[in-house]
Amino acid sequence: MEEKEEFLKEFGDYYGYPNGPKTIDEIRATEFKRLQDTVYLDHAGATLYSELQMEAIFKDLTTSVYGNPHSQSDSSSATSEIVREARQQVLSYCNASPKDYKCIFTSGATAALKLIGENFPWSSQSSFMYTMENHNSVLGIREYALSQGATAFAVDVREAVHQDGASKSPVTSVKITQHPVQRRSEAGMLEGELTGDAYNLFAFPSECNFSGSRFNLELVKIVKQNAEKFLEGSPYSKGRWMVLIDAAKGCATQPPDLSLYPADFVVISFYKLFGYPTGLGALIIRNDSAKLLKKTYFSGGTVAASIADIDFVRKREGIEEHFEDGTISFLSIASILHGFKILNSLTVSAMCRHMTSLAMFLKKKLLALQHENGVRVCTIYGNHNLKASCRGSSSIVSFNLKRRDDSWFGYREVEKLASLSGIQLRTGCFCNPGACAKYLGLSHLDLLSNLEAGHICWDDNDVINGKPTGAVRVSFGYMSTYEDAKIFIDFIRSSFVSMPSEFEKVYLVRSKSNPYTDEGFENQLSSSGCYLKSITIYPIKSCAGFSVESWPLSSTGLQYDREWLLKSLTGEILTQKKVPEMSLISTFINLNQQMLFVDSPRCKGKLQIKLDSDSYTCGKEEIYLHTQRYEVQCYENEINQWFSNAVGQPCTLVRCGDSQHFCSLSKDRSTGMCRDKDSKVNFANEAQFLLISEESVSDLNNRLCSNTEKRSGGAPLYVNPMRFRPNLVISGGKPYSEDGWRNLKIGNAHFTSLGGCNRCQMINFYHQTGRVLKTKEPLATLASYRRVKGKILFGILLRYDSSGNKTGLYTDSWLKVGEEIYISE
């Protein structure tokens, strides 16, 4: 409570709408009840609609009759009136006079940007200039410019200030650095021949969605009136310059005042303003600029008359009608009026102050974090202004975190752990590659190297060659609270600043000093005190397995283990992460009958599939899984239909025939491994075997029980070893003794440990009365004490050492329950 009092002392005049119709606590209690157990911090991606707003929309749509506006009926007239009112509300929001501007509704901000790009009067003398901080949807306009022979180039804009902090005059205060000029057509005029008759376009965001940095809207006047001085005499400064503001993010806190900054184009996204509706945006366009756009296509609603069998069309004169193809999304447009009512009741300035106070508070707390050795934990990108004000401030805090050894935590690790703590945020580059490269210091060579290494947008490659490939972004909304920020700060402190666990210390020392080796391990074996408690085979990837007393080994591990999988008709591999119901499909193999039996609560009969590889197959095909190419056998429609019924979507069954390519294991066999190049693996994610210790599971259950009592005093949680889908469960040793094993022998079979198994959300699924449910445990507890370099490790992966025999099945190599385990450490 003392901490909140300190916060209110500094930010009380800004936080919580002290002069508004409702306080922030009242807003959260009455309009956002669904956030009771969730901390939502991705308002720059999509803010949240209020329950009051949705009630008003529902009442409107259930008591009014809105018809297609392309008519003269009463219902059409009602729609036209509501659309007219919505257009006026949008213009008013940006203080745009209807005499000078029009509002064109689009399917989103991206569609508005595309409309500009494809209709702009590009020529070989035109230039498209844009700031590095633009979203991909703005960068896409470059394709239209370059395809028409125009030039394109990025600029960095910086605003100089006096020593006392005051900005200089608008023209002299803004400086730019121009990046290389891009041009595709050689037919364009030479630089010295530019006549200045061309139309040029300059695009910038009112607020960078990566860093939150705001751009000075004086840029509109500077570029339109002093382009030559702005571009410092560049030959590309000639001609008439038009200005585009991407306000999709910036409008939520500080909409551009078009009476002061007369931009030609402004794009808006409504779900970023008030959450609902999605799929609706607007282009605010100056009347004289609209006349310059060269629109070719016509459609329903955009023509006054057309004749079907001759080349004749007369387009409508109205700007909105000219550019809005087809029937506009009139029900969504009716909905935005209720969103604006929410914003108007609180006022944009009050919302800006509220969100800014939270962002400033978070920045201060993050910048103050240090490890025990003095290394600063957090690097924040963009404006570090820590004074609460709307000018130059933002609701966005974008950052990365460092370990005590000055290496980077991966942003995916932060996102993964945040999700386990009920915190929703955004990571990556946020579709803003220029800002991402600029703030992270990534060169063209870095970006291309990352791409060659397999990194693409939204993947898990968060640190490559020691550099982050993206960042963590926290963004606040008008309904965010101090408690949201406080929970997040506590999460960062406990998860990334606390002292390293004993497990992490020991694991990292061991991985550096004791490399894995197979050489002569037979002579180093000693009794572990453990024995094999159970053996489980999972014939179909992600479906339930079956336990046996003994089972033969093959060159791929346990014979028939994960030899089949299900894939959708589009080729997507089905797993429990995507289709949790797969865990309800049971399997069993009878070796004597050479038959696979499959059962599902959704299907009446039990399915029988002969193990003979030539039975029931309908040809072969190739699939790719984990960067590996497989030749697979396909099955007939009857079997595929059975599985389609079992999982509730069309799918097909395939069987592993041959895998051609293998990912190599990292040389030091460190954490985060991919599949072993030295062994053959069916459809398992990483390795042939997963081994779990009963004692390790027991220790985890004790921790789960303790955590449950601390949090709520409810019934203790309990997980069975089978929650982790192990092939081998052992018993008799100390908890986590398996972490130190290098090689082991069970019966007459030898195995090599490939290190810890990195756990994912799949272990949080559990069954209850025939349903598949999900909780945050046990992954959240494991993360608190089994985390190393971004991986949450539990159990070990094994490779079967088959002495180089390539024939496949070994008649004398069986695993049997009860066999003692010998190890080398």
Side-chain angles (χ1 to χ4, degrees), residues 756-768:
C757 178
N758 183 26
R759 310 314 310 211
C760 67
Q761 296 270 3
M762 200 164 115
I763 64 174
N764 289 341
F765 291 111
Y766 68 99
H767 294 175
Q768 188 176 77

Side-chain angles (χ1 to χ4, degrees), residues 153-168:
F153 54 92
V155 293
D156 281 307
V157 179
R158 61 191 185 280
E159 187 174 358
V161 295
H162 292 296
Q163 290 184 349
D164 61 3
S167 178
K168 299 180 180 179

Side-chain angles (χ1 to χ4, degrees), residues 392-675:
S393 299
S394 170
S395 62
I396 288 175
V397 183
S398 188
F399 61 92
N400 272 310
L401 302 174
K402 279 192 171 183
R403 297 185 176 89
R404 65 189 61 84
D405 63 0
D406 217 34
S407 65
W408 295 99
F409 285 104
Y411 57 77
R412 279 290 291 126
E413 179 178 359
V414 181
E415 184 177 34
K416 183 178 182 180
L417 295 177
S419 181
L420 290 173
S421 298
I423 300 170
Q424 308 303 314
L425 45 75
R426 181 96 177 265
T427 65
C429 275
F430 326 121
C431 298
N432 195 328
C436 189
K438 177 177 178 177
Y439 288 108
L440 299 180
L442 299 174
S443 66
H444 292 166
L445 183 60
D446 290 328
L447 297 173
L448 294 173
S449 176
N450 291 348
L451 184 62
E452 288 297 319
H455 173 54
I456 58 173
C457 295
W458 310 337
D459 68 9
D460 290 341
N461 294 313
D462 48 16
V463 178
I464 298 179
N465 297 324
K467 289 185 177 182
T469 61
V472 180
R473 186 183 73 185
V474 166
S475 51
F476 295 101
Y478 75 82
M479 74 298 295
S480 298
T481 63
Y482 163 83
E483 286 72 22
D484 292 334
K486 179 64 167 56
I487 290 171
F488 180 73
I489 292 164
D490 291 343
F491 156 71
I492 293 294
R493 186 180 289 113
S494 64
S495 299
F496 300 97
V497 190
S498 57
M499 296 291 289
S501 67
E502 290 303 313
F503 164 65
E504 184 176 4
K505 290 178 183 177
V506 172
Y507 196 97
L508 290 175
V509 169
R510 186 178 67 242
S511 65
K512 292 177 181 177
S513 61
N514 298 314
Y516 288 77
T517 176
D518 300 351
E519 299 176 7
F521 72 82
E522 295 90 343
N523 299 324
Q524 306 169 16
L525 293 175
S526 60
S527 175
S528 65
C530 300
Y531 67 95
L532 187 58
K533 180 72 177 292
S534 70
I535 303 169
T536 306
I537 298 91
Y538 305 89
I540 305 174
K541 182 178 178 66
S542 278
C543 294
F546 64 98
S547 296
V548 293
E549 290 296 310
S550 63
W551 198 259
L553 294 167
S554 74
S555 61
T556 59
L558 290 167
Q559 191 183 15
Y560 302 123
D561 186 55
R562 287 160 292 193
E563 195 163 310
W564 290 262
L565 62 73
L566 297 173
K567 66 184 187 71
S568 70
L569 299 187
T570 60
E572 181 183 27
I573 306 303
L574 301 187
T575 67
Q576 277 192 38
K577 290 181 185 178
K578 303 167 187 174
V579 189
E581 291 75 17
M582 291 181 71
S583 63
L584 300 176
I585 299 175
S586 62
T587 59
F588 175 73
I589 288 177
N590 188 308
L591 292 177
N592 293 326
Q593 298 179 17
Q594 284 289 287
M595 192 76 72
L596 166 63
F597 298 91
V598 192
D599 201 1
S600 167
R602 291 183 172 180
C603 300
K604 292 182 178 179
K606 183 178 293 188
L607 185 65
Q608 300 181 27
I609 301 175
K610 290 183 179 179
L611 298 182
D612 182 352
S613 60
D614 295 328
S615 301
Y616 298 103
T617 59
C618 295
K620 298 180 179 180
E621 62 180 51
E622 290 184 354
I623 66 170
Y624 287 84
L625 179 66
H626 309 304
T627 71
Q628 185 173 347
R629 181 175 68 85
Y630 290 87
E631 184 180 90
V632 298
Q633 297 173 324
C634 305
Y635 285 83
E636 61 184 11
N637 289 336
E638 183 179 350
I639 289 178
N640 294 330
Q641 186 58 55
W642 190 95
F643 281 104
S644 298
N645 295 336
V647 300
Q649 62 175 280
C651 64
T652 60
L653 179 72
V654 298
R655 183 179 186 181
C656 182
D658 186 31
S659 56
Q660 300 295 327
H661 303 293
F662 299 88
C663 271
S664 62
L665 205 61
S666 57
K667 292 181 180 179
D668 63 353
R669 300 181 193 264
S670 58
T671 59
M673 302 171 296
C674 58
R675 49 182 58 209

Side-chain angles (χ1 to χ4, degrees), residues 230-503:
F230 178 69
L231 287 168
E232 300 176 340
S234 167
Y236 298 102
S237 64
K238 297 179 180 179
R240 175 179 172 182
W241 279 91
M242 306 173 77
V243 178
L244 158 65
I245 301 177
D246 175 11
K249 170 59 187 78
C251 254
T253 50
Q254 193 173 325
D257 186 337
L258 296 182
S259 69
L260 298 177
Y261 310 106
D264 297 276
F265 313 102
V266 177
V267 298
I268 294 176
S269 180
F270 294 110
Y271 74 94
K272 295 195 177 184
L273 286 178
F274 31 71
Y276 182 89
T278 59
L280 183 69
L283 168 61
I284 300 176
I285 186 170
R286 283 188 66 87
N287 296 342
D288 54 352
S289 303
K291 296 174 183 177
L292 297 175
L293 298 187
K294 301 177 179 179
K295 187 169 184 288
T296 301
Y297 178 75
F298 70 87
S299 64
T302 65
V303 294
S306 65
I307 301 178
D309 56 349
I310 64 172
D311 183 9
F312 176 86
V313 60
R314 180 162 298 170
K315 297 179 182 179
R316 290 184 178 271
E317 298 293 329
I319 292 174
E320 302 99 330
E321 296 169 326
H322 182 70
F323 288 102
E324 290 174 344
D325 289 316
T327 301
I328 55 178
S329 184
F330 55 88
L331 294 182
S332 292
I333 292 170
S335 299
I336 69 173
L337 289 171
H338 301 285
F340 276 117
K341 286 179 183 177
I342 298 286
L343 303 191
N344 293 336
S345 68
L346 295 172
T347 74
V348 176
S349 59
M351 290 189 299
C352 178
R353 291 193 297 270
H354 172 77
M355 291 183 263
T356 297
S357 70
L358 291 171
M360 294 303 101
F361 170 67
L362 178 58
K363 284 183 180 181
K364 281 189 172 184
K365 291 297 185 181
L366 290 178
L367 289 174
L369 295 176
Q370 290 185 341
H371 291 294
E372 77 282 355
N373 61 355
V375 171
R376 178 173 282 186
V377 174
C378 187
T379 297
I380 294 178
Y381 304 111
N383 188 354
H384 285 196
N385 175 27
L386 299 180
K387 294 182 179 180
S389 69
C390 282
R391 175 68 181 97
S393 299
S394 170
S395 62
I396 288 175
V397 183
S398 188
F399 61 92
N400 272 310
L401 302 174
K402 279 192 171 183
R403 297 185 176 89
R404 65 189 61 84
D405 63 0
D406 217 34
S407 65
W408 295 99
F409 285 104
Y411 57 77
R412 279 290 291 126
E413 179 178 359
V414 181
E415 184 177 34
K416 183 178 182 180
L417 295 177
S419 181
L420 290 173
S421 298
I423 300 170
Q424 308 303 314
L425 45 75
R426 181 96 177 265
T427 65
C429 275
F430 326 121
C431 298
N432 195 328
C436 189
K438 177 177 178 177
Y439 288 108
L440 299 180
L442 299 174
S443 66
H444 292 166
L445 183 60
D446 290 328
L447 297 173
L448 294 173
S449 176
N450 291 348
L451 184 62
E452 288 297 319
H455 173 54
I456 58 173
C457 295
W458 310 337
D459 68 9
D460 290 341
N461 294 313
D462 48 16
V463 178
I464 298 179
N465 297 324
K467 289 185 177 182
T469 61
V472 180
R473 186 183 73 185
V474 166
S475 51
F476 295 101
Y478 75 82
M479 74 298 295
S480 298
T481 63
Y482 163 83
E483 286 72 22
D484 292 334
K486 179 64 167 56
I487 290 171
F488 180 73
I489 292 164
D490 291 343
F491 156 71
I492 293 294
R493 186 180 289 113
S494 64
S495 299
F496 300 97
V497 190
S498 57
M499 296 291 289
S501 67
E502 290 303 313
F503 164 65

